[in-house]
Each structure stands twice: as structure tokens, then as C-alpha cells.
Amino acid sequence: MNTKLICKNPTAYHNYTIEEKIETGIILSGTEIKSIRQGKVNLKDTYAIIKNSEIYIIGMHISPYDHGNIFNKDPLRDRKLLLTKREINKLIGLSKQKGYSLIPINLYFKGNLVKLELGIGKGKKLYDKRQELAKKDAQRQIEKHFKNIQY
């Protein structure tokens, strides 16, 4: 299938250690799809919760469609994710474990359908974030050093 990335969650990998990923569908209205096609969507500060054995995404901002008038929905409304019962039960079991959260990672088109990549991750502590930044900085320094060496 042909996939086209719409947007990423910029803080997903910074704030969480993602252990597993699941592709989900999402229920949207017609004006929301048109707005997403224009790229007017934001995944920052979003998360997923479980209500009544169903999974909802909270905080995903889809700007109102310019020509949508009365058909536009609330930009920050809760949107239901489409998963099988087996996947939902698996996510319920994992999210009940201490420290695990459901974090949206990417929103993309798969053919004509909008899909959401949902990650199951554990929140990072401040010292974990510092260690990761130090590793990245050290790797950059090594690459810079080897780039300047001529053989």
C-alpha cells in the first residue's frame, strides 16, 4: 500500500520509551478529512484512553475546514479508534501495568484511509532524557571527528 505521512507527534520519542506499535483506524467526519488533507492537524500533547472497552484519542487538534460552515466539528473532540476486540484487550492489559501509556506517534494516509500509529510506552525520567541527549551529542562529535580525518 502507498503511505503518505501527514504529521508526527514531536514529543512521543522524547518523553516515552516506545515498546510496541499498533496501526489503528480513526473515526472522522467529512470536513475533518478535508482539513487533514490540507495538513491542518496537530498531534502534540495527545494521548489515548480506554473508556467502556473502547479506545479514544484525546487532544488531537484538527482545524475547522474553511468551507465546512455548519458541518465542522469541534477541533479538540474525542475521536474513537478502530481496533479489533483482541487488540483492545491486549492494550487494556498493557495499560494497566505500572507506567504504561498509549501514545499516538504518526498520522498517515494508507491508500485513501487515515491511519494512526499508536505506541505503547513507558514515561521517561529526566535522567533518561539527559542520557539520551548525551549519547546523541557524543555520536555527533564522533561523526564530526571522522568526517575531518583524511586517509
Side-chain angles (χ1 to χ4, degrees), residues 1 4-5 10 14 16 31 39 49 54 58 61 75 82 86-87 97 104 109 113 122 126-127 131:
M1 272 276 165
K4 180 185 172 196
L5 183 66
H14 181 70
Y16 297 94
T31 55
I49 61 168
E54 294 177 339
I58 309 295
H61 186 276
L82 302 171
R86 187 178 197 178
E87 290 172 329
Q97 291 180 11
F109 284 111
L113 304 174
K122 227 175 193 168
L126 185 61
Y127 58 85
Q131 285 177 345

Side-chain angles (χ1 to χ4, degrees), residues 50-71:
I50 300 167
K51 282 193 235 174
N52 302 328
S53 297
E54 294 177 339
I55 299 181
Y56 292 88
I57 185 167
I58 309 295
M60 184 167 96
H61 186 276
I62 299 176
S63 298
Y65 182 58
D66 299 335
H67 307 294
N69 55 42
I70 61 168
F71 299 107

